[in-house]
Amino acid sequence: IKKGTLGLKGVMQVKNYTHDDYINAINSYPKFWTSIRENTLKTNRYNEELNNGVEKIRAIYPQLKPAKIYFTIGALRSNGTTIDSLVLIGSELAMADKNTNSAEFDENLGAGRRIYFDSNPIDNLVLLNLHEYVHTQQKPRVNNLLSYVLHEGIAEFVSVIAMNVPSSTPAINYGKQNKKVKQKFEEELFYGNNTHHWLWSDFKNEFDTRDLGYYIGYAIAEINYNNAINKQAAIKKMIELDYTNEADVEDFVNRTKFFSKPINKLYADFDKSRPTILSIEPVIVDSTTVNPNLKRITLNFSMPMNVESRGFDYGPLGENHVLSVQNIIGFTEDAKSFTFEIALEPDKHYQSLITNRFLSKDGIPLKPFLINFKTSKK
């Protein structure tokens, strides 16, 4: 690692790889590493194809800025990512093929790895590099699911258009053939805690297909492109989309009529469906005379909740004012009330946010609720 390139240091930073991550990966999967080594030594064979691919992107996007491509070895968490103007290929995954050994991975991870290896990802190495190269040209994402799927889908679409080849991402073809994917995404668009349901994960979903968020973003980019009279302007618009500009992003999505309703109406429907906290016991919201001997608080919800979910955070005053939770009593039998024990100090202002990590039985996140009170001096 000390002798590593800027690329190695970059992939370690982006994926939070530690020295121990590498040691554990090396010791845990020796057969895997032996099976992948020959492929990882083939990088020089791709120089000409990669250079040609970059020029093909420049042909449809003349504003293309230079970026450096690094074939790195990671610790099995990414086949490709970026940081600033660096493309960072996780060669241990991106250069796998059907001969790559997956026997040492545990059952769930091994099944997903086997499907991935059998798809011969090394055959699509140039397209993957160009996808990541497009990411180096895009503006930063913001922290919401729509931003994430657009960012990924646009990079995939632009690289496909530049290379004039079909996407190698199975999620895109699957999504095009299954309308229920879009319906499910509309339901979950605003959940806030479920990016791993749609991107960058082996999360088990009802479709048995990972990374379906790529399809959502790709489809929106494709419709925008097909509807555009000036194709080059359309490419420029999608690459330079400003994710911090909500109105611009919503316009980019709404004009396609891809979803059943405009974004604001989808949000209104979602907001109506959310569970709420109807009351807390004892009634202490915004009270200034709470007895510091209070030991227990109960939250009463508007609908049955998922008894495995919960979430607390501090409020606007910060972590020094958060409630000290001593014990979780848990949910009542009907899953509509939740009790926890606390320890209070006299003459102190407390704030605790009950977050959207509390979920209904159907997985819909709670409207956050702020517990806010002061204790009396005695």
PDB file of all heavy atoms in Angstrom, residues 139-150:
ATOM      1  N   LYS A 139     -21.862  16.376 -12.417  1.00  0.00           N
ATOM      2  CA  LYS A 139     -21.892  17.137 -11.166  1.00  0.00           C
ATOM      3  C   LYS A 139     -22.194  16.180 -10.008  1.00  0.00           C
ATOM      4  O   LYS A 139     -22.791  15.126 -10.199  1.00  0.00           O
ATOM      5  CB  LYS A 139     -22.949  18.245 -11.251  1.00  0.00           C
ATOM      6  CG  LYS A 139     -22.541  19.379 -12.185  1.00  0.00           C
ATOM      7  CD  LYS A 139     -23.604  20.471 -12.214  1.00  0.00           C
ATOM      8  CE  LYS A 139     -23.069  21.744 -12.871  1.00  0.00           C
ATOM      9  NZ  LYS A 139     -22.674  21.541 -14.271  1.00  0.00           N
ATOM     10  N   PRO A 140     -21.798  16.544  -8.796  1.00  0.00           N
ATOM     11  CA  PRO A 140     -22.003  15.644  -7.654  1.00  0.00           C
ATOM     12  C   PRO A 140     -23.484  15.354  -7.412  1.00  0.00           C
ATOM     13  O   PRO A 140     -24.347  16.202  -7.606  1.00  0.00           O
ATOM     14  CB  PRO A 140     -21.401  16.431  -6.479  1.00  0.00           C
ATOM     15  CG  PRO A 140     -20.460  17.410  -7.098  1.00  0.00           C
ATOM     16  CD  PRO A 140     -21.058  17.768  -8.421  1.00  0.00           C
ATOM     17  N   ARG A 141     -23.736  14.134  -6.961  1.00  0.00           N
ATOM     18  CA  ARG A 141     -25.096  13.751  -6.574  1.00  0.00           C
ATOM     19  C   ARG A 141     -25.461  14.405  -5.254  1.00  0.00           C
ATOM     20  O   ARG A 141     -24.591  14.827  -4.499  1.00  0.00           O
ATOM     21  CB  ARG A 141     -25.178  12.226  -6.390  1.00  0.00           C
ATOM     22  CG  ARG A 141     -24.723  11.429  -7.571  1.00  0.00           C
ATOM     23  CD  ARG A 141     -24.454   9.995  -7.185  1.00  0.00           C
ATOM     24  NE  ARG A 141     -23.438   9.877  -6.144  1.00  0.00           N
ATOM     25  CZ  ARG A 141     -22.830   8.747  -5.832  1.00  0.00           C
ATOM     26  NH1 ARG A 141     -23.124   7.640  -6.475  1.00  0.00           N
ATOM     27  NH2 ARG A 141     -21.932   8.700  -4.869  1.00  0.00           N
ATOM     28  N   VAL A 142     -26.762  14.459  -4.984  1.00  0.00           N
ATOM     29  CA  VAL A 142     -27.221  14.799  -3.643  1.00  0.00           C
ATOM     30  C   VAL A 142     -27.759  13.528  -3.008  1.00  0.00           C
ATOM     31  O   VAL A 142     -27.946  12.510  -3.677  1.00  0.00           O
ATOM     32  CB  VAL A 142     -28.302  15.910  -3.664  1.00  0.00           C
ATOM     33  CG1 VAL A 142     -27.720  17.195  -4.226  1.00  0.00           C
ATOM     34  CG2 VAL A 142     -29.524  15.484  -4.472  1.00  0.00           C
ATOM     35  N   ASN A 143     -28.015  13.584  -1.718  1.00  0.00           N
ATOM     36  CA  ASN A 143     -28.335  12.369  -0.977  1.00  0.00           C
ATOM     37  C   ASN A 143     -29.825  12.033  -1.057  1.00  0.00           C
ATOM     38  O   ASN A 143     -30.574  12.177  -0.098  1.00  0.00           O
ATOM     39  CB  ASN A 143     -27.906  12.525   0.484  1.00  0.00           C
ATOM     40  CG  ASN A 143     -28.082  11.246   1.274  1.00  0.00           C
ATOM     41  OD1 ASN A 143     -28.070  10.162   0.706  1.00  0.00           O
ATOM     42  ND2 ASN A 143     -28.257  11.363   2.576  1.00  0.00           N
ATOM     43  N   ASN A 144     -30.258  11.607  -2.241  1.00  0.00           N
ATOM     44  CA  ASN A 144     -31.600  11.032  -2.358  1.00  0.00           C
ATOM     45  C   ASN A 144     -31.598  10.016  -3.487  1.00  0.00           C
ATOM     46  O   ASN A 144     -30.749  10.052  -4.390  1.00  0.00           O
ATOM     47  CB  ASN A 144     -32.688  12.098  -2.539  1.00  0.00           C
ATOM     48  CG  ASN A 144     -32.556  12.868  -3.830  1.00  0.00           C
ATOM     49  OD1 ASN A 144     -32.595  12.295  -4.918  1.00  0.00           O
ATOM     50  ND2 ASN A 144     -32.420  14.184  -3.747  1.00  0.00           N
ATOM     51  N   LEU A 145     -32.553   9.114  -3.450  1.00  0.00           N
ATOM     52  CA  LEU A 145     -32.561   7.979  -4.373  1.00  0.00           C
ATOM     53  C   LEU A 145     -32.691   8.413  -5.826  1.00  0.00           C
ATOM     54  O   LEU A 145     -32.031   7.852  -6.711  1.00  0.00           O
ATOM     55  CB  LEU A 145     -33.696   7.023  -3.994  1.00  0.00           C
ATOM     56  CG  LEU A 145     -33.798   5.736  -4.817  1.00  0.00           C
ATOM     57  CD1 LEU A 145     -32.510   4.916  -4.730  1.00  0.00           C
ATOM     58  CD2 LEU A 145     -35.001   4.904  -4.351  1.00  0.00           C
ATOM     59  N   LEU A 146     -33.523   9.413  -6.101  1.00  0.00           N
ATOM     60  CA  LEU A 146     -33.698   9.861  -7.478  1.00  0.00           C
ATOM     61  C   LEU A 146     -32.382  10.377  -8.046  1.00  0.00           C
ATOM     62  O   LEU A 146     -32.023  10.079  -9.190  1.00  0.00           O
ATOM     63  CB  LEU A 146     -34.768  10.947  -7.549  1.00  0.00           C
ATOM     64  CG  LEU A 146     -35.124  11.431  -8.964  1.00  0.00           C
ATOM     65  CD1 LEU A 146     -35.658  10.293  -9.819  1.00  0.00           C
ATOM     66  CD2 LEU A 146     -36.146  12.569  -8.891  1.00  0.00           C
ATOM     67  N   SER A 147     -31.647  11.140  -7.265  1.00  0.00           N
ATOM     68  CA  SER A 147     -30.344  11.642  -7.700  1.00  0.00           C
ATOM     69  C   SER A 147     -29.402  10.486  -8.017  1.00  0.00           C
ATOM     70  O   SER A 147     -28.717  10.487  -9.049  1.00  0.00           O
ATOM     71  CB  SER A 147     -29.750  12.534  -6.610  1.00  0.00           C
ATOM     72  OG  SER A 147     -28.411  12.878  -6.891  1.00  0.00           O
ATOM     73  N   TYR A 148     -29.378   9.492  -7.158  1.00  0.00           N
ATOM     74  CA  TYR A 148     -28.477   8.353  -7.351  1.00  0.00           C
ATOM     75  C   TYR A 148     -28.789   7.593  -8.637  1.00  0.00           C
ATOM     76  O   TYR A 148     -27.889   7.250  -9.407  1.00  0.00           O
ATOM     77  CB  TYR A 148     -28.559   7.397  -6.166  1.00  0.00           C
ATOM     78  CG  TYR A 148     -27.999   7.935  -4.874  1.00  0.00           C
ATOM     79  CD1 TYR A 148     -28.543   7.564  -3.650  1.00  0.00           C
ATOM     80  CD2 TYR A 148     -26.914   8.805  -4.861  1.00  0.00           C
ATOM     81  CE1 TYR A 148     -28.034   8.048  -2.454  1.00  0.00           C
ATOM     82  CE2 TYR A 148     -26.397   9.293  -3.670  1.00  0.00           C
ATOM     83  CZ  TYR A 148     -26.960   8.908  -2.470  1.00  0.00           C
ATOM     84  OH  TYR A 148     -26.444   9.397  -1.288  1.00  0.00           O
ATOM     85  N   VAL A 149     -30.081   7.298  -8.863  1.00  0.00           N
ATOM     86  CA  VAL A 149     -30.404   6.484 -10.041  1.00  0.00           C
ATOM     87  C   VAL A 149     -30.205   7.269 -11.334  1.00  0.00           C
ATOM     88  O   VAL A 149     -29.816   6.693 -12.359  1.00  0.00           O
ATOM     89  CB  VAL A 149     -31.833   5.898  -9.955  1.00  0.00           C
ATOM     90  CG1 VAL A 149     -31.996   5.040  -8.708  1.00  0.00           C
ATOM     91  CG2 VAL A 149     -32.910   6.961 -10.022  1.00  0.00           C
ATOM     92  N   LEU A 150     -30.459   8.569 -11.313  1.00  0.00           N
ATOM     93  CA  LEU A 150     -30.204   9.378 -12.500  1.00  0.00           C
ATOM     94  C   LEU A 150     -28.703   9.423 -12.799  1.00  0.00           C
ATOM     95  O   LEU A 150     -28.281   9.286 -13.957  1.00  0.00           O
ATOM     96  CB  LEU A 150     -30.734  10.801 -12.310  1.00  0.00           C
ATOM     97  CG  LEU A 150     -32.247  10.973 -12.350  1.00  0.00           C
ATOM     98  CD1 LEU A 150     -32.629  12.408 -11.983  1.00  0.00           C
ATOM     99  CD2 LEU A 150     -32.815  10.619 -13.721  1.00  0.00           C
TER     100      LEU A 150
END
